Coordinates of all heavy atoms in Angstrom, one line a residue:
M23 N 65.2 101.0 59.1 CA 65.5 99.8 59.9 C 66.9 99.4 59.6 O 67.6 98.9 60.6 CB 64.5 98.8 59.4 CG 64.6 97.5 60.2 SD 64.1 97.7 61.9 CE 64.1 96.1 62.4
F24 N 67.4 99.5 58.4 CA 68.8 99.0 58.1 C 69.8 99.9 58.9 O 70.8 99.4 59.4 CB 69.0 99.1 56.6 CG 70.4 98.7 56.2 CD1 70.9 97.3 56.3 CD2 71.3 99.7 55.9 CE1 72.1 97.0 55.9 CE2 72.6 99.3 55.5 CZ 73.0 98.0 55.6
Y25 N 69.5 101.2 59.0 CA 70.4 102.0 59.7 C 70.5 101.6 61.2 O 71.6 101.6 61.8 CB 69.9 103.5 59.6 CG 70.6 104.5 60.5 CD1 71.9 104.9 60.1 CD2 70.1 105.0 61.6 CE1 72.6 105.8 60.9 CE2 70.8 105.9 62.4 CZ 72.1 106.2 62.0 OH 72.8 107.2 62.8
K26 N 69.4 101.3 61.8 CA 69.4 100.9 63.3 C 70.2 99.6 63.4 O 71.0 99.4 64.3 CB 68.1 100.7 63.8 CG 67.3 102.0 64.0 CD 65.9 101.8 64.6 CE 65.2 103.1 64.7 NZ 63.9 102.9 65.2
L27 N 70.0 98.6 62.5 CA 70.7 97.4 62.6 C 72.3 97.5 62.4 O 73.1 96.9 63.0 CB 70.2 96.4 61.6 CG 68.9 95.8 61.9 CD1 68.4 94.9 60.8 CD2 68.9 95.0 63.2
S28 N 72.6 98.5 61.4 CA 74.0 98.7 61.2 C 74.7 99.4 62.4 O 75.8 99.1 62.8 CB 74.2 99.6 59.9 OG 73.7 99.0 58.8
L29 N 74.0 100.3 63.0 CA 74.5 101.0 64.2 C 74.6 100.0 65.3 O 75.7 100.0 66.0 CB 73.5 102.1 64.6 CG 74.0 103.1 65.6 CD1 75.3 103.8 65.2 CD2 72.9 104.1 65.9
F30 N 73.7 99.1 65.5 CA 73.7 98.1 66.6 C 74.9 97.2 66.3 O 75.6 96.8 67.2 CB 72.4 97.3 66.6 CG 72.4 96.2 67.6 CD1 72.3 96.6 69.0 CD2 72.5 94.9 67.3 CE1 72.3 95.5 69.9 CE2 72.5 93.9 68.2 CZ 72.4 94.2 69.6
A31 N 75.1 96.8 65.1 CA 76.2 95.8 64.7 C 77.5 96.5 64.9 O 78.5 95.9 65.4 CB 76.1 95.4 63.3
F32 N 77.6 97.8 64.7 CA 78.8 98.6 64.9 C 79.2 98.6 66.4 O 80.3 98.4 66.8 CB 78.7 100.0 64.3 CG 79.8 100.9 64.7 CD1 81.1 100.8 64.1 CD2 79.7 101.9 65.7 CE1 82.1 101.6 64.3 CE2 80.8 102.7 66.0 CZ 82.0 102.5 65.4
F33 N 78.2 98.9 67.2 CA 78.4 99.0 68.7 C 78.9 97.6 69.2 O 79.7 97.5 70.1 CB 77.2 99.6 69.4 CG 77.1 101.0 69.3 CD1 76.0 101.6 68.8 CD2 78.1 101.8 69.7 CE1 75.9 103.0 68.6 CE2 78.0 103.2 69.6 CZ 76.9 103.8 69.1
I34 N 78.3 96.5 68.7 CA 78.6 95.2 69.1 C 80.1 94.9 68.8 O 80.9 94.4 69.6 CB 77.7 94.1 68.6 CG1 76.3 94.3 69.1 CG2 78.1 92.8 68.8 CD1 76.2 94.0 70.7
A35 N 80.5 95.3 67.6 CA 81.8 95.0 67.1 C 82.8 95.8 67.9 O 83.9 95.3 68.4 CB 82.0 95.4 65.6
V36 N 82.5 97.1 68.3 CA 83.4 97.9 69.1 C 83.5 97.3 70.5 O 84.6 97.2 71.1 CB 82.9 99.3 69.2 CG1 83.6 100.1 70.2 CG2 83.1 100.0 67.8
F37 N 82.4 96.9 71.1 CA 82.4 96.2 72.4 C 83.2 95.0 72.4 O 84.1 94.8 73.3 CB 81.0 95.9 72.8 CG 80.8 95.2 74.1 CD1 81.1 95.9 75.3 CD2 80.6 93.8 74.2 CE1 81.0 95.3 76.5 CE2 80.5 93.2 75.4 CZ 80.7 93.9 76.6
M38 N 83.1 94.1 71.4 CA 83.9 92.9 71.4 C 85.3 93.2 71.1 O 86.2 92.4 71.8 CB 83.4 92.0 70.2 CG 81.9 91.5 70.4 SD 81.7 90.6 71.9 CE 82.4 89.0 71.4
A39 N 85.7 94.1 70.4 CA 87.1 94.5 70.2 C 87.7 95.1 71.5 O 88.8 94.8 71.8 CB 87.2 95.5 69.1
S40 N 87.0 95.8 72.2 CA 87.5 96.4 73.5 C 87.6 95.3 74.5 O 88.6 95.3 75.4 CB 86.6 97.5 74.0 OG 85.4 96.9 74.4
C41 N 86.8 94.2 74.5 CA 87.0 93.1 75.5 C 88.2 92.2 75.2 O 88.8 91.8 76.1 CB 85.7 92.2 75.4 SG 84.2 92.9 76.0
D42 N 88.6 92.1 74.0 CA 89.8 91.4 73.7 C 91.1 92.1 74.1 O 92.0 91.4 74.5 CB 89.9 91.1 72.1 CG 88.8 90.1 71.7 OD1 88.4 89.4 72.5 OD2 88.5 90.2 70.4
Q43 N 91.1 93.4 74.1 CA 92.3 94.2 74.5 C 92.5 94.1 76.0 O 93.6 94.1 76.4 CB 92.1 95.6 74.1 CG 92.2 95.8 72.6 CD 91.9 97.3 72.2 OE1 91.6 98.1 73.1 NE2 92.0 97.5 70.9
Q44 N 91.5 93.9 76.8 CA 91.6 93.9 78.2 C 92.2 92.6 78.8 O 92.5 92.5 79.9 CB 90.3 94.2 78.9 CG 89.8 95.6 78.6 CD 88.5 95.9 79.2 OE1 87.9 95.1 79.8 NE2 88.0 97.1 79.1
K45 N 92.2 91.6 78.0 CA 92.7 90.3 78.5 C 94.2 90.3 78.8 O 94.6 89.6 79.7 CB 92.4 89.2 77.5 CG 91.0 88.8 77.3 CD 90.8 87.7 76.3 CE 89.3 87.5 76.2 NZ 89.0 86.4 75.2
D46 N 95.0 91.1 78.1 CA 96.4 91.2 78.3 C 96.8 92.1 79.4 O 97.9 92.1 79.9 CB 97.1 91.7 77.0 CG 96.9 90.7 75.8 OD1 96.7 89.5 76.2 OD2 97.0 91.0 74.7
E47 N 95.9 93.1 79.8 CA 96.3 94.0 80.9 C 96.1 93.4 82.2 O 95.2 92.6 82.5 CB 95.3 95.2 80.8 CG 95.4 96.0 79.5 CD 94.5 97.2 79.5 OE1 93.9 97.5 80.6 OE2 94.2 97.7 78.4
K48 N 97.1 93.7 83.1 CA 97.0 93.2 84.5 C 96.7 94.4 85.4 O 97.3 95.4 85.3 CB 98.4 92.6 84.9 CG 98.6 91.3 84.2 CD 99.9 90.7 84.7 CE 100.2 89.4 84.1 NZ 101.5 88.8 84.7
L49 N 95.8 94.2 86.3 CA 95.5 95.2 87.3 C 96.4 95.2 88.5 O 96.8 96.2 89.0 CB 94.0 95.1 87.7 CG 93.0 95.3 86.7 CD1 91.6 95.2 87.3 CD2 93.1 96.8 86.1
F50 N 96.8 93.9 88.8 CA 97.7 93.8 90.0 C 98.8 92.8 89.7 O 98.6 91.9 88.8 CB 96.8 93.1 91.2 CG 95.7 94.0 91.6 CD1 94.4 93.7 91.2 CD2 96.0 95.1 92.4 CE1 93.4 94.6 91.6 CE2 95.0 95.9 92.9 CZ 93.6 95.6 92.4
T51 N 99.9 93.0 90.3 CA 101.1 92.1 90.2 C 101.4 91.5 91.6 O 101.5 92.4 92.5 CB 102.3 92.8 89.6 OG1 101.9 93.4 88.3 CG2 103.4 91.9 89.4
Q52 N 101.5 90.2 91.7 CA 101.8 89.7 93.0 C 103.3 89.8 93.3 O 104.1 89.5 92.5 CB 101.5 88.2 93.1 CG 101.7 87.6 94.4 CD 101.1 86.1 94.5 OE1 100.5 85.7 93.5 NE2 101.3 85.5 95.6
L53 N 103.6 90.4 94.5 CA 105.0 90.6 94.9 C 105.3 89.8 96.1 O 104.4 89.5 96.9 CB 105.2 92.1 95.3 CG 104.9 93.1 94.1 CD1 105.1 94.5 94.7 CD2 105.9 92.9 93.0
T54 N 106.5 89.3 96.3 CA 106.9 88.5 97.4 C 107.1 89.4 98.6 O 107.3 90.6 98.4 CB 108.2 87.7 97.1 OG1 109.2 88.6 96.8 CG2 108.0 86.8 95.9
S55 N 107.2 88.8 99.8 CA 107.4 89.6 101.0 C 108.8 90.2 101.0 O 109.0 91.3 101.6 CB 107.2 88.7 102.2 OG 108.1 87.6 102.2
S56 N 109.7 89.5 100.3 CA 111.1 90.1 100.2 C 111.1 91.4 99.3 O 111.9 92.3 99.6 CB 112.1 89.1 99.7 OG 111.8 88.6 98.5
Q57 N 110.3 91.4 98.3 CA 110.2 92.5 97.4 C 109.5 93.8 98.1 O 109.9 94.9 97.9 CB 109.4 92.2 96.1 CG 110.2 91.3 95.2 CD 109.3 90.8 94.1 OE1 108.2 90.3 94.3 NE2 109.7 91.0 92.9
T58 N 108.5 93.5 98.9 CA 107.8 94.6 99.5 C 108.3 95.0 100.9 O 108.1 96.1 101.4 CB 106.3 94.2 99.8 OG1 106.2 93.0 100.6 CG2 105.6 93.8 98.4
G59 N 108.9 94.0 101.6 CA 109.4 94.3 102.9 C 108.3 94.1 104.0 O 108.5 94.5 105.1
I60 N 107.2 93.5 103.6 CA 106.1 93.2 104.5 C 106.0 91.8 104.8 O 105.9 90.9 104.0 CB 104.8 93.7 103.9 CG1 104.7 95.2 103.5 CG2 103.6 93.3 104.8 CD1 103.5 95.6 102.8
H61 N 106.2 91.4 106.1 CA 106.2 90.1 106.6 C 105.1 90.0 107.6 O 105.2 90.4 108.7 CB 107.6 89.7 107.2 CG 108.7 90.0 106.3 ND1 109.0 89.0 105.3 CD2 109.6 90.9 106.1 CE1 110.1 89.5 104.6 NE2 110.4 90.7 105.1
F62 N 104.0 89.4 107.2 CA 102.8 89.3 108.0 C 102.1 88.0 107.8 O 102.0 87.5 106.7 CB 101.8 90.5 107.6 CG 100.6 90.5 108.5 CD1 100.6 91.0 109.8 CD2 99.4 90.0 108.0 CE1 99.4 91.0 110.5 CE2 98.2 89.9 108.7 CZ 98.2 90.5 110.0
N63 N 101.8 87.4 109.0 CA 101.0 86.2 108.9 C 100.0 86.1 110.0 O 100.3 86.4 111.2 CB 102.0 85.0 109.1 CG 101.4 83.7 108.7 OD1 100.2 83.6 108.4 ND2 102.1 82.6 108.9
N64 N 98.7 85.9 109.7 CA 97.7 86.0 110.7 C 97.4 84.6 111.1 O 96.4 84.0 110.7 CB 96.4 86.7 110.0 CG 95.3 86.9 111.0 OD1 95.6 86.9 112.2 ND2 94.1 87.1 110.6
D65 N 98.2 84.0 112.0 CA 98.0 82.7 112.6 C 97.0 82.8 113.7 O 97.2 83.7 114.6 CB 99.3 82.1 113.1 CG 100.2 81.7 111.9 OD1 99.7 81.3 110.9 OD2 101.4 81.8 112.1
I66 N 96.0 82.0 113.7 CA 94.9 82.0 114.7 C 94.9 80.8 115.5 O 94.8 79.7 114.9 CB 93.6 82.3 114.1 CG1 93.5 83.6 113.3 CG2 92.4 82.2 115.2 CD1 92.3 83.8 112.6
D67 N 95.1 80.9 116.8 CA 95.0 79.7 117.7 C 93.5 79.6 118.1 O 93.1 80.3 119.0 CB 96.0 79.8 118.9 CG 96.0 78.6 119.8 OD1 95.4 77.6 119.3 OD2 96.7 78.7 120.8
E68 N 92.8 78.6 117.5 CA 91.4 78.5 117.8 C 91.1 78.0 119.2 O 90.0 78.1 119.7 CB 90.8 77.6 116.7 CG 90.8 78.1 115.4 CD 90.2 77.2 114.4 OE1 89.7 76.1 114.8 OE2 90.1 77.5 113.2
K69 N 92.1 77.4 119.9 CA 91.9 77.0 121.2 C 91.7 78.1 122.2 O 91.2 77.9 123.3 CB 93.1 76.1 121.7 CG 93.2 74.9 120.8 CD 94.5 74.1 121.2 CE 94.7 73.0 120.3 NZ 96.0 72.4 120.4
K70 N 92.2 79.3 121.8 CA 92.1 80.4 122.8 C 90.8 81.1 122.7 O 90.5 81.9 123.6 CB 93.2 81.5 122.4 CG 94.6 81.1 122.7 CD 95.6 82.2 122.3 CE 97.0 81.8 122.5 NZ 97.9 82.9 122.1
F71 N 90.0 80.8 121.8 CA 88.7 81.6 121.6 C 87.6 80.6 121.6 O 87.6 79.4 121.2 CB 88.6 82.2 120.2 CG 89.8 83.3 120.0 CD1 90.9 82.9 119.3 CD2 89.7 84.5 120.5 CE1 91.9 83.9 119.1 CE2 90.6 85.5 120.3 CZ 91.7 85.1 119.6
S72 N 86.5 81.1 122.2 CA 85.2 80.3 122.1 C 84.6 80.5 120.7 O 85.0 81.3 120.0 CB 84.3 80.7 123.2 OG 83.8 82.1 122.9
K73 N 83.7 79.7 120.4 CA 83.1 79.7 119.1 C 82.4 81.1 118.9 O 82.3 81.6 117.8 CB 82.0 78.6 118.9 CG 82.6 77.2 118.9 CD 83.2 77.0 117.6 CE 83.7 75.6 117.5 NZ 84.5 75.3 116.4
E74 N 81.8 81.7 119.9 CA 81.2 83.0 119.7 C 82.2 84.1 119.6 O 81.9 85.1 118.8 CB 80.3 83.3 121.0 CG 79.1 82.4 121.2 CD 79.5 81.1 121.9 OE1 80.5 81.1 122.6 OE2 78.9 80.0 121.7
A75 N 83.3 84.0 120.2 CA 84.3 85.1 120.1 C 85.0 85.0 118.8 O 85.5 86.1 118.3 CB 85.3 84.9 121.3
L76 N 85.2 83.9 118.2 CA 86.0 83.8 116.9 C 85.0 83.7 115.7 O 84.4 82.7 115.5 CB 86.9 82.6 116.9 CG 87.8 82.4 115.7 CD1 88.8 83.6 115.6 CD2 88.6 81.1 115.8
N77 N 84.7 84.8 115.1 CA 83.7 84.8 114.0 C 84.5 85.0 112.7 O 85.7 84.9 112.7 CB 82.7 85.9 114.2 CG 83.3 87.3 114.3 OD1 84.5 87.4 113.9 ND2 82.6 88.2 114.9
E78 N 83.9 85.2 111.6 CA 84.5 85.3 110.3 C 85.5 86.4 110.2 O 86.4 86.4 109.4 CB 83.5 85.4 109.2 CG 82.7 86.7 109.2 CD 81.4 86.6 110.0 OE1 81.2 85.7 110.7 OE2 80.6 87.6 109.9
F79 N 85.4 87.5 111.0 CA 86.3 88.6 111.0 C 87.7 88.2 111.6 O 88.7 88.7 111.2 CB 85.7 89.8 111.7 CG 84.5 90.3 111.1 CD1 83.3 90.1 111.8 CD2 84.5 90.9 109.9 CE1 82.2 90.7 111.2 CE2 83.3 91.3 109.2 CZ 82.1 91.2 109.9
G80 N 87.6 87.2 112.5 CA 88.9 86.8 113.1 C 89.8 86.0 112.0 O 91.0 86.1 112.0
Y81 N 89.1 85.3 111.1 CA 89.9 84.6 110.1 C 90.3 85.5 108.9 O 91.3 85.2 108.3 CB 89.0 83.5 109.5 CG 88.7 82.4 110.4 CD1 87.5 82.3 111.1 CD2 89.7 81.5 110.7 CE1 87.2 81.3 112.0 CE2 89.4 80.4 111.6 CZ 88.2 80.3 112.3 OH 88.0 79.3 113.1
M82 N 89.7 86.7 108.8 CA 90.1 87.6 107.7 C 91.3 88.5 108.2 O 92.0 89.1 107.4 CB 89.0 88.4 107.2 CG 88.0 87.6 106.4 SD 86.7 88.7 105.7 CE 85.8 89.2 107.1
G83 N 91.4 88.7 109.5 CA 92.4 89.5 110.1 C 91.7 90.6 110.8 O 90.5 90.9 110.7
G84 N 92.5 91.3 111.6 CA 91.9 92.4 112.4 C 91.7 93.7 111.6 O 90.8 94.4 111.9
G85 N 92.4 93.9 110.6 CA 92.2 95.1 109.8 C 93.5 95.5 109.1 O 94.6 95.1 109.4
V86 N 93.3 96.4 108.1 CA 94.4 97.0 107.4 C 94.1 98.5 107.3 O 93.1 99.0 107.0 CB 94.5 96.4 105.9 CG1 95.6 97.1 105.1 CG2 94.6 94.9 106.0
G87 N 95.2 99.2 107.6 CA 95.1 100.7 107.5 C 96.3 101.2 106.6 O 97.5 100.8 106.8
I88 N 96.0 102.0 105.5 CA 97.0 102.5 104.6 C 96.8 104.0 104.5 O 95.8 104.5 104.2 CB 97.0 101.9 103.2 CG1 97.1 100.3 103.3 CG2 98.0 102.5 102.3 CD1 96.9 99.6 102.0
G89 N 97.9 104.7 104.8 CA 97.9 106.2 104.7 C 99.2 106.7 105.1 O 100.0 106.1 105.6
D90 N 99.4 108.0 104.8 CA 100.6 108.7 105.2 C 100.5 109.2 106.6 O 100.1 110.4 106.8 CB 101.0 109.8 104.2 CG 102.3 110.4 104.5 OD1 103.1 109.9 105.3 OD2 102.6 111.4 103.9
F91 N 100.6 108.4 107.6 CA 100.3 108.8 109.0 C 101.3 109.7 109.6 O 101.1 110.5 110.5 CB 100.0 107.6 109.8 CG 98.9 106.7 109.4 CD1 99.0 105.5 108.7 CD2 97.6 107.2 109.6 CE1 97.9 104.8 108.4 CE2 96.5 106.5 109.2 CZ 96.6 105.3 108.5
N92 N 102.6 109.5 109.1 CA 103.7 110.3 109.7 C 104.1 111.5 108.8 O 105.2 112.1 109.0 CB 104.9 109.4 110.1 CG 105.4 108.7 108.9 OD1 104.9 108.8 107.8 ND2 106.4 107.9 109.2
N93 N 103.4 111.8 107.7 CA 103.7 112.9 106.9 C 105.1 112.9 106.2 O 105.7 113.9 106.1 CB 103.4 114.2 107.6 CG 102.0 114.4 107.9 OD1 101.1 113.9 107.2 ND2 101.7 115.0 109.1
D94 N 105.5 111.7 105.8 CA 106.9 111.6 105.1 C 106.7 111.5 103.6 O 107.7 111.3 102.9 CB 107.7 110.5 105.8 CG 107.1 109.1 105.5 OD1 106.0 109.0 105.0 OD2 107.8 108.1 105.9
G95 N 105.5 111.5 103.1 CA 105.3 111.4 101.7 C 105.1 109.9 101.3 O 104.9 109.7 100.1
L96 N 105.3 109.0 102.1 CA 105.2 107.6 101.8 C 103.9 106.9 102.5 O 103.6 107.4 103.5 CB 106.4 106.8 102.2 CG 107.7 107.2 101.6 CD1 108.9 106.5 102.3 CD2 107.8 107.0 100.1
K97 N 103.3 106.0 101.8 CA 102.2 105.4 102.5 C 102.7 104.4 103.5 O 103.5 103.5 103.3 CB 101.4 104.7 101.4 CG 100.7 105.6 100.4 CD 99.8 104.9 99.4 CE 99.0 105.9 98.7 NZ 99.3 105.9 97.3
D98 N 102.1 104.4 104.7 CA 102.3 103.6 105.8 C 101.2 102.5 105.8 O 100.1 102.7 105.6 CB 102.4 104.3 107.1 CG 103.3 105.6 107.1 OD1 104.5 105.3 106.7 OD2 102.9 106.6 107.4
I99 N 101.7 101.2 106.1 CA 100.8 100.1 106.1 C 100.7 99.6 107.6 O 101.7 99.2 108.1 CB 101.1 99.0 105.1 CG1 101.2 99.6 103.7 CG2 100.2 97.8 105.2 CD1 101.7 98.6 102.7
F100 N 99.5 99.5 108.1 CA 99.3 98.9 109.5 C 98.5 97.6 109.3 O 97.3 97.8 108.8 CB 98.7 99.9 110.4 CG 99.6 101.0 110.8 CD1 99.7 102.2 110.1 CD2 100.4 100.8 112.0 CE1 100.5 103.2 110.4 CE2 101.3 101.9 112.3 CZ 101.4 103.0 111.6
L101 N 99.0 96.5 109.7 CA 98.2 95.2 109.6 C 98.0 94.8 111.1 O 98.9 94.7 111.9 CB 99.0 94.2 108.9 CG 99.4 94.6 107.5 CD1 100.4 93.6 106.9 CD2 98.2 94.6 106.6
V102 N 96.7 94.4 111.4 CA 96.4 94.0 112.7 C 95.9 92.6 112.7 O 95.1 92.2 112.0 CB 95.2 94.9 113.3 CG1 94.9 94.5 114.7 CG2 95.8 96.4 113.3
A103 N 96.4 91.7 113.6 CA 96.0 90.3 113.7 C 95.5 90.0 115.1 O 95.7 90.7 116.0 CB 97.2 89.4 113.4
I104 N 94.6 89.0 115.1 CA 94.1 88.7 116.4 C 95.1 87.6 117.0 O 95.5 86.7 116.5 CB 92.7 87.9 116.3 CG1 91.7 88.9 115.7 CG2 92.2 87.3 117.6 CD1 90.4 88.3 115.4
R105 N 95.5 88.0 118.3 CA 96.4 87.1 119.0 C 95.8 86.6 120.2 O 95.1 87.1 120.9 CB 97.7 87.8 119.3 CG 98.4 88.3 118.1 CD 99.2 87.2 117.5 NE 99.8 87.6 116.3 CZ 100.3 86.9 115.4 NH1 100.2 85.6 115.5 NH2 100.8 87.3 114.3

């Protein structure tokens, strides 16, 4: 029984130590539009649409496509807005 409790305490200690290390790591860094070269704003004129035509997808944007579409080795970004 003591062995099981010791093993359980060890795993809890390892788990808690690994959680503390992840607080300092950043997954994403926010960049300004001047840093990225992307200038996009999805302004929606609600007067142009009826309530049925403008659903939650209109507020989120038309879509985003990222890929190397022209085979130059760089990722191309396509942003679509509702106008």
Side-chain angles (χ1 to χ4, degrees):
M23 182 71 175
F24 178 73
Y25 173 74
K26 290 181 181 179
L27 287 175
S28 299
L29 190 60
F30 180 73
F32 173 75
F33 283 121
I34 293 296
V36 169
F37 177 73
M38 297 300 286
S40 67
C41 290
D42 289 339
Q43 292 175 356
Q44 293 178 356
K45 289 181 183 176
D46 296 335
E47 295 179 18
K48 290 184 179 181
L49 295 178
F50 299 99
T51 302
Q52 184 173 356
L53 301 174
T54 63
S55 59
S56 61
Q57 291 173 305
T58 61
I60 299 172
H61 304 281
F62 179 79
N63 193 0
N64 188 22
D65 289 329
I66 299 173
D67 186 5
E68 293 181 0
K69 296 173 189 170
K70 292 181 180 179
F71 300 98
S72 66
K73 293 288 184 187
E74 294 82 25
L76 186 62
N77 57 21
E78 67 270 9
F79 298 110
Y81 291 105
M82 290 188 292
V86 178
I88 300 175
D90 186 12
F91 297 107
N92 58 358
N93 295 324
D94 63 353
L96 301 172
K97 291 186 173 116
D98 305 309
I99 301 174
F100 288 91
L101 303 169
V102 179
I104 297 176
R105 297 282 176 197

